[in-house]
Amino acid sequence: MLANFLIGLREGLEAALVVSILVAYLVKSGRRELLPRIWAGVALAVAVALVFGATLTFGPRGLTFEAQEAIGGTLSLVAVAFVTWMIFWMSAAARGLGTELRGQIDRAAEGGRWSLVVVAMLAVGREGLETALFLWAATQAGTRDTAGSVTPTWEPLLGALLGIVVAVALGYLIYRGAIRLNLTVFFTWTGAFLIVVAGGVLAYGIHDLQEAGILPGLHDLAFDVSEVIPPSSWYGTLLKGVFNFSPATTKLEALAWVLYVVPVGVLFLLRNRIVRPTPQPQEH
Amino acid sequence: MRKTLLASVAALAVVPALAACTENASSGGDDEGGDARALSVTSNADTCELSSTEAPAGTLSFDVTNSGSDVTEFYLLGSDGLRIVGEVENIGPNLTKKLTVNAPEGEYFTACKPGMVGEGIRAAFTVTHAEDAQEVSASDQELIDQAQDNYRAYVQDQSAQLLAKTRDFTELYKAGNADDQARALYPVAREHWERIETVAESFGDLDPKTDAREADVDVAAGEEWTGWHRIEKDLWPQDAKGYAALTPAERTSYADDLLANTEELDQRIQATGEDALEYSITDIANGSIGLLEEVANGKITGEEEAWSHTDLWDFQANVDGARVAYEGVQGLLETKDAALAEELTSTFAALQAVLDQYRDGDGFVLYTALTKDDTKKMTDAVNALSEPLSKLTAAVTS
Ligand SMILES: [Cu+2]
């Protein structure tokens, strides 16, 4: 039960984080009318993932392992690009808010409105395929009567679904917490947080591509702390779910993470410092 | 804007999917057909059990079941133990996930990683050549060639021994004063015939002349009864009511006829060049099946040697022939269906064990000494073998 719960929690968290921050941003910046687009993106991603998962499980043709990894890896890289863009877009919009240039906000929102759908879709869809495959496997375990050496049970499905529910709840808590922050703090913290998350997603994507044999160095480890942080422990799960932290990280993954997080982080902080001096009494 | 974005995302997901689709091997799942490419894996904290450690090249599917309490992963690794050929991650307790990979012939490793840490529980795994795949590899073609050469040599050797012993036998029989020796040689000479009976039977003109039983011959329609069993009746006339012994001239005529036909048979079997007999893998496998049918149809019933009752000699010889033919293709079978090979080897041994209980000196007890229980035991052992044996041809030619 616990193991399946943790899988659901991890996969759910990976998707819930970005979505909750997106929602918090729209709510805070008074653009609730754009919320349905986020939900549409999420729903679309879930539907696509479920259909995909079902087809791959029950259909006559499945994906090769390389294809699964290549899709997962590529989607990760695209997601990183979109999240990065989103971080700077939000920060630009915030500057607009700060200086009360309404036109600038609208222009930013106009350019970003459909991109929001895509960001939400990618955030959910990236993990969606994997989660859908897991859920279908769990449904089959619950329904098959013979086959396999384990007794058919609904327990795995229940565990995974509970994990997803808890992940959504955590996402909601993050949203509540974020909504209470003042806008500057919100941008600084969520922005910094998202950069670390995106760095993790990038490393994860690199790892997928290494597993697919597209990138080299799968066995060239930068560090291996699997002993201290077992990946199937609850803390290993949280670290993986939130930051995509892998206890056994390859050099290429670590390099990609550093090369992404350091320059993007510095750039982000620099821009925020430029934002910070501007007065913000209008905000409250 | 909307459409292009959505389309581009959809394309991202779908294009590689189409480009890298693979067949879901045996999408039916656990059908009883025993698809050699459908394997099952059971993983828990300390074991990683595979239903087979080899499979024919092609699209393999591994149904990985987690029977432990921790999350597990399953990997198919290259011969270096490093390259990942395929993996399934996140297999929670009580779950089965499928890994589908296209695996060419070669050496591999399998690994289960309970807890998703470390090297995992590893074992060697072999992907063998597949007949139904593109082309026949050198090593498998070697197995086939070898099987065919060995079988040809075996048939030729048996035929030569048959001819030599038939010559001796007909001499003794014609002499008229060595019937005891002739009777002793009769089942021994016939062993060589019975071992290659399916090959001999393929000569439709020779088989009825040499091996017909009285019941098979329609004397009323003008057919003549010749061959082994005609002479058998003359050597063991005690069961025949009002039997008139053959004259010396008749003896010579039947004996010379049998020898001539056996010489003809041997000539065809030993032929080289254009006339050389070809034994395909299918012929050899079918020959094994056919010889076991001979046992079931004639020997277990005691119909074959109606007068001499030396049916168990024939029985043993048919089994020898079936086993040798099977052993010829065994190497090939092992690369295609190791489980079937194992089953056949053990059921052949079990049948032999039953037969060995009826040995008597160099030979066997007479059929008339057998009870109903004895023949029942034999029937059961033959039936146990015929079921897996019937799959042999399909398995080696798959
Ligand atoms: Cu994941």
Side-chain angles (χ1 to χ4, degrees):
Chain A
M1 181 67 142
L2 181 66
N4 289 312
F5 168 81
L6 288 175
I7 292 176
L9 176 66
R10 190 186 72 210
E11 304 294 344
L13 264 183
E14 293 183 38
L17 280 176
V18 174
V19 173
S20 61
I21 289 171
L22 269 181
V23 171
Y25 168 72
L26 288 183
V27 171
K28 279 184 84 77
S29 60
R31 271 177 233 131
R32 283 177 173 272
E33 76 276 7
L34 293 181
L35 282 181
R37 292 188 186 159
I38 303 276
W39 300 129
V42 170
L44 196 58
V46 169
V48 166
L50 282 178
V51 168
F52 233 67
T55 314
L56 292 183
T57 308
F58 304 113
R61 302 182 79 76
L63 273 190
T64 60
F65 154 73
E66 287 87 351
Q68 276 185 33
E69 296 299 296
I71 292 174
T74 312
L75 281 184
S76 292
L77 299 188
V78 175
V80 170
F82 268 93
V83 169
T84 309
W85 168 85
M86 188 183 83
I87 294 165
F88 287 97
W89 170 71
M90 290 203 308
S91 132
R95 190 162 28 179
L97 272 177
T99 53
E100 267 195 307
L101 293 170
R102 296 293 309 181
Q104 202 177 325
I105 306 166
D106 292 341
R107 250 175 285 136
E110 194 53 45
R113 100 180 3 181
W114 289 109
S115 308
L116 288 179
V117 181
V118 177
V119 173
M121 251 185 73
L122 280 172
V124 177
R126 193 175 56 82
E127 285 305 311
L129 181 66
E130 204 181 337
T131 312
L133 285 172
F134 179 87
L135 289 181
W136 283 115
T139 336
Q140 280 186 305
T143 47
R144 75 187 160 183
D145 354 69
T146 49
S149 55
V150 293
T151 348
T153 163
W154 290 98
E155 180 265 303
L157 185 61
L158 189 67
L161 288 176
L162 275 179
I164 293 174
V165 168
V166 171
V168 171
L170 281 177
Y172 179 73
L173 289 179
I174 289 166
Y175 161 79
R176 296 294 309 184
I179 218 84
R180 267 189 227 110
L181 298 169
N182 81 47
L183 204 56
T184 308
V185 175
F186 174 84
F187 280 126
T188 314
W189 281 103
T190 57
F193 176 68
L194 281 177
I195 288 171
V196 179
V197 169
V201 173
L202 176 67
Y204 180 78
I206 298 283
H207 188 80
D208 273 355
L209 295 177
Q210 285 183 313
E211 287 190 326
I214 296 169
L215 289 178
L218 180 59
H219 301 278
D220 203 0
L221 294 185
F223 59 86
D224 186 350
V225 291
S226 308
E227 296 287 315
V228 194
I229 310 171
S232 59
S233 63
W234 65 268
Y235 44 98
T237 298
L238 282 184
L239 279 174
K240 169 84 178 166
V242 176
F243 298 112
N244 262 302
F245 172 77
S246 158
T249 295
T250 67
K251 284 185 180 155
L252 195 63
E253 278 178 76
L255 186 69
W257 191 89
V258 171
L259 285 184
Y260 173 83
V261 170
V262 173
V264 174
V266 167
L267 192 63
F268 176 77
L269 291 178
L270 283 177
R271 289 192 67 152
N272 262 32
R273 193 164 297 157
I274 298 162
V275 173
R276 202 165 287 162
T278 55
Q280 31 187 277
Q282 305 91 325
E283 180 44 38
H284 289 287
Chain B
M1 182 88 190
R2 171 195 187 179
K3 275 182 182 145
T4 46
L5 269 173
L6 293 188
S8 66
V9 170
L12 256 172
V14 170
V15 168
L18 291 179
C21 260
T22 180
E23 259 171 58
N24 264 347
S26 82
S27 44
D30 318 272
D31 46 324
E32 69 289 359
D35 182 349
R37 291 190 179 86
L39 300 108
S40 62
V41 182
T42 309
S43 170
N44 60 36
D46 13 66
T47 57
C48 183
E49 255 174 66
L50 273 86
S51 59
S52 170
T53 54
E54 54 176 46
T59 304
L60 308 182
S61 75
F62 296 85
D63 268 318
V64 188
T65 300
N66 183 355
S67 64
S69 55
D70 208 347
V71 182
T72 194
E73 300 175 332
F74 175 75
Y75 290 81
L76 184 64
L77 302 167
S79 56
D80 55 359
L82 300 175
R83 184 176 59 90
I84 300 178
V85 181
E87 69 171 333
V88 264
E89 300 170 298
N90 279 335
I91 311 166
N94 287 320
L95 283 189
T96 299
K97 271 193 171 182
K98 186 180 280 198
L99 168 66
T100 306
V101 283
N102 280 315
E105 186 180 355
E107 295 300 320
Y108 296 81
F109 284 96
T110 52
C112 293
K113 263 194 212 180
M116 305 187 286
V117 285
E119 286 278 273
I121 303 164
R122 295 186 170 212
F125 186 81
T126 309
V127 173
T128 57
H129 169 76
E131 279 272 306
D132 51 352
Q134 313 72 26
E135 86 288 2
V136 176
S137 74
S139 67
D140 241 29
Q141 188 57 57
E142 262 168 43
L143 276 180
I144 292 171
D145 289 346
Q146 203 174 47
Q148 290 170 337
D149 289 349
N150 288 348
Y151 195 69
R152 176 194 313 281
Y154 173 74
V155 171
Q156 289 178 341
D157 175 56
Q158 291 301 318
S159 176
Q161 292 196 51
L162 172 68
L163 181 58
K165 286 183 186 167
T166 305
R167 195 168 278 137
D168 292 348
F169 172 73
T170 50
E171 282 304 314
L172 291 169
Y173 175 62
K174 277 197 287 188
N177 57 1
D179 282 7
D180 277 347
Q181 285 165 274
R183 278 190 278 264
L185 189 53
Y186 173 82
V188 177
R190 277 184 55 76
E191 275 178 354
H192 304 290
W193 167 274
E194 294 289 338
R195 283 183 188 140
I196 57 170
E197 187 162 5
T198 49
V199 176
E201 278 176 349
S202 65
F203 302 109
D205 54 333
L206 295 177
D207 177 52
K209 289 181 196 166
T210 43
D211 199 37
R213 288 169 301 153
E214 191 170 15
D216 299 333
V217 181
D218 194 350
V219 181
E223 286 177 16
E224 204 192 353
W225 182 32
T226 59
W228 286 102
H229 296 302
R230 178 69 193 86
I231 298 172
E232 178 203 358
K233 188 176 183 180
D234 195 49
L235 282 171
W236 284 275
Q238 55 271 38
D239 290 352
K241 277 179 196 138
Y243 178 73
L246 296 177
T247 64
E250 282 171 324
R251 280 196 174 209
T252 303
S253 153
Y254 284 123
D256 289 348
D257 179 63
L258 175 63
L259 185 58
N261 287 322
T262 308
E263 278 171 343
E264 172 67 25
L265 174 73
D266 187 56
Q267 249 175 35
R268 294 191 200 172
I269 285 175
Q270 310 292 349
T272 53
E274 266 189 15
D275 298 329
L277 295 177
E278 293 287 339
Y279 306 101
S280 68
I281 286 295
T282 311
D283 293 339
I284 300 171
N286 282 339
S288 184
I289 296 167
L291 283 167
L292 198 74
E293 279 167 8
E294 293 285 342
V295 172
N297 293 340
K299 281 69 180 185
I300 280 181
T301 57
E303 286 164 33
E304 176 95 11
E305 307 292 351
W307 314 106
S308 67
H309 307 303
T310 54
D311 299 88
L312 292 191
W313 275 261
D314 295 5
F315 189 150
Q316 176 69 63
N318 282 162
V319 171
D320 286 344
R323 202 196 61 243
V324 168
Y326 158 66
E327 284 169 353
V329 296
Q330 189 180 356
L332 201 59
L333 180 65
E334 273 163 0
T335 68
K336 292 171 188 278
D337 190 344
L340 181 61
E342 208 172 294
E343 188 184 0
L344 281 173
T345 305
S346 68
T347 35
F348 262 117
L351 174 59
Q352 187 59 56
V354 171
L355 207 41
D356 284 345
Q357 297 169 13
Y358 303 97
R359 283 199 184 277
D360 181 19
D362 289 341
F364 289 89
V365 301
L366 295 184
Y367 189 81
T368 44
L370 301 180
T371 65
K372 262 210 158 89
D373 277 353
D374 293 329
T375 50
K376 168 90 169 65
K377 244 196 292 183
M378 292 177 187
T379 310
D380 289 347
V382 168
N383 287 345
L385 181 57
S386 72
E387 201 271 324
L389 197 57
S390 65
K391 297 179 197 157
L392 178 62
T393 311
V396 291
T397 53
S398 69

PDB file of all heavy atoms in Angstrom, chain A residues 62 70 90 121 125 143 162 173 178 183 229 278:
ATOM      1  N   GLY A  62       2.698  -1.427 -28.916  1.00  0.00           N
ATOM      2  CA  GLY A  62       3.176  -0.676 -27.769  1.00  0.00           C
ATOM      3  C   GLY A  62       4.325   0.211 -28.195  1.00  0.00           C
ATOM      4  O   GLY A  62       4.770   0.154 -29.332  1.00  0.00           O
ATOM      5  N   ALA A  70      12.521   8.505 -25.040  1.00  0.00           N
ATOM      6  CA  ALA A  70      12.768   9.670 -25.885  1.00  0.00           C
ATOM      7  C   ALA A  70      11.635  10.674 -25.762  1.00  0.00           C
ATOM      8  O   ALA A  70      11.862  11.891 -25.689  1.00  0.00           O
ATOM      9  CB  ALA A  70      12.952   9.245 -27.338  1.00  0.00           C
ATOM     10  N   MET A  90       6.171  35.907 -15.907  1.00  0.00           N
ATOM     11  CA  MET A  90       5.506  36.338 -14.681  1.00  0.00           C
ATOM     12  C   MET A  90       6.259  37.508 -14.055  1.00  0.00           C
ATOM     13  O   MET A  90       5.657  38.457 -13.560  1.00  0.00           O
ATOM     14  CB  MET A  90       5.420  35.171 -13.688  1.00  0.00           C
ATOM     15  CG  MET A  90       4.451  34.101 -14.138  1.00  0.00           C
ATOM     16  SD  MET A  90       3.800  33.053 -12.839  1.00  0.00           S
ATOM     17  CE  MET A  90       5.183  32.475 -12.007  1.00  0.00           C
ATOM     18  N   MET A 121      -0.427  21.877 -19.562  1.00  0.00           N
ATOM     19  CA  MET A 121      -0.487  20.593 -20.239  1.00  0.00           C
ATOM     20  C   MET A 121       0.823  19.837 -20.105  1.00  0.00           C
ATOM     21  O   MET A 121       0.847  18.639 -19.833  1.00  0.00           O
ATOM     22  CB  MET A 121      -0.775  20.800 -21.719  1.00  0.00           C
ATOM     23  CG  MET A 121      -2.147  20.369 -22.140  1.00  0.00           C
ATOM     24  SD  MET A 121      -2.300  20.519 -23.904  1.00  0.00           S
ATOM     25  CE  MET A 121      -1.317  19.172 -24.453  1.00  0.00           C
ATOM     26  N   GLY A 125       1.191  16.546 -18.442  1.00  0.00           N
ATOM     27  CA  GLY A 125       1.383  15.523 -19.468  1.00  0.00           C
ATOM     28  C   GLY A 125       2.731  14.835 -19.404  1.00  0.00           C
ATOM     29  O   GLY A 125       2.850  13.665 -19.737  1.00  0.00           O
ATOM     30  N   THR A 143      -8.491  -6.373 -11.762  1.00  0.00           N
ATOM     31  CA  THR A 143      -9.569  -7.044 -12.479  1.00  0.00           C
ATOM     32  C   THR A 143      -9.237  -8.446 -12.966  1.00  0.00           C
ATOM     33  O   THR A 143     -10.116  -9.251 -13.145  1.00  0.00           O
ATOM     34  CB  THR A 143      -9.991  -6.205 -13.710  1.00  0.00           C
ATOM     35  OG1 THR A 143      -8.816  -5.807 -14.394  1.00  0.00           O
ATOM     36  CG2 THR A 143     -10.780  -4.997 -13.288  1.00  0.00           C
ATOM     37  N   LEU A 162      -4.822   7.399  -3.822  1.00  0.00           N
ATOM     38  CA  LEU A 162      -4.667   8.158  -2.573  1.00  0.00           C
ATOM     39  C   LEU A 162      -3.442   9.062  -2.651  1.00  0.00           C
ATOM     40  O   LEU A 162      -3.484  10.212  -2.209  1.00  0.00           O
ATOM     41  CB  LEU A 162      -4.530   7.188  -1.393  1.00  0.00           C
ATOM     42  CG  LEU A 162      -5.823   6.675  -0.769  1.00  0.00           C
ATOM     43  CD1 LEU A 162      -5.530   5.710   0.376  1.00  0.00           C
ATOM     44  CD2 LEU A 162      -6.676   7.838  -0.271  1.00  0.00           C
ATOM     45  N   LEU A 173      -2.328  23.251  -0.823  1.00  0.00           N
ATOM     46  CA  LEU A 173      -1.695  23.948   0.296  1.00  0.00           C
ATOM     47  C   LEU A 173      -0.637  24.929  -0.211  1.00  0.00           C
ATOM     48  O   LEU A 173      -0.516  26.051   0.301  1.00  0.00           O
ATOM     49  CB  LEU A 173      -1.064  22.944   1.268  1.00  0.00           C
ATOM     50  CG  LEU A 173      -2.055  22.112   2.090  1.00  0.00           C
ATOM     51  CD1 LEU A 173      -1.321  21.126   2.993  1.00  0.00           C
ATOM     52  CD2 LEU A 173      -2.958  23.033   2.944  1.00  0.00           C
ATOM     53  N   ALA A 178       0.997  30.305  -1.226  1.00  0.00           N
ATOM     54  CA  ALA A 178       1.460  31.255  -2.226  1.00  0.00           C
ATOM     55  C   ALA A 178       0.516  32.443  -2.304  1.00  0.00           C
ATOM     56  O   ALA A 178       0.931  33.591  -2.499  1.00  0.00           O
ATOM     57  CB  ALA A 178       1.573  30.578  -3.580  1.00  0.00           C
ATOM     58  N   LEU A 183       3.021  39.985  -3.511  1.00  0.00           N
ATOM     59  CA  LEU A 183       3.375  39.642  -4.888  1.00  0.00           C
ATOM     60  C   LEU A 183       4.881  39.564  -5.107  1.00  0.00           C
ATOM     61  O   LEU A 183       5.368  38.673  -5.782  1.00  0.00           O
ATOM     62  CB  LEU A 183       2.740  40.648  -5.852  1.00  0.00           C
ATOM     63  CG  LEU A 183       2.541  40.109  -7.268  1.00  0.00           C
ATOM     64  CD1 LEU A 183       1.720  38.840  -7.261  1.00  0.00           C
ATOM     65  CD2 LEU A 183       1.892  41.170  -8.148  1.00  0.00           C
ATOM     66  N   ILE A 229      19.530   8.099   1.019  1.00  0.00           N
ATOM     67  CA  ILE A 229      18.200   8.537   0.579  1.00  0.00           C
ATOM     68  C   ILE A 229      17.621   7.482  -0.372  1.00  0.00           C
ATOM     69  O   ILE A 229      17.688   7.656  -1.579  1.00  0.00           O
ATOM     70  CB  ILE A 229      18.271   9.908  -0.126  1.00  0.00           C
ATOM     71  CG1 ILE A 229      19.059  10.904   0.738  1.00  0.00           C
ATOM     72  CG2 ILE A 229      16.872  10.444  -0.402  1.00  0.00           C
ATOM     73  CD1 ILE A 229      19.365  12.195   0.023  1.00  0.00           C
ATOM     74  N   THR A 278      11.213  49.354  -7.225  1.00  0.00           N
ATOM     75  CA  THR A 278       9.976  50.042  -7.583  1.00  0.00           C
ATOM     76  C   THR A 278       8.982  49.927  -6.432  1.00  0.00           C
ATOM     77  O   THR A 278       8.833  48.873  -5.833  1.00  0.00           O
ATOM     78  CB  THR A 278       9.337  49.437  -8.845  1.00  0.00           C
ATOM     79  OG1 THR A 278       9.157  48.050  -8.621  1.00  0.00           O
ATOM     80  CG2 THR A 278      10.196  49.683 -10.059  1.00  0.00           C
TER      81      THR A 278
END
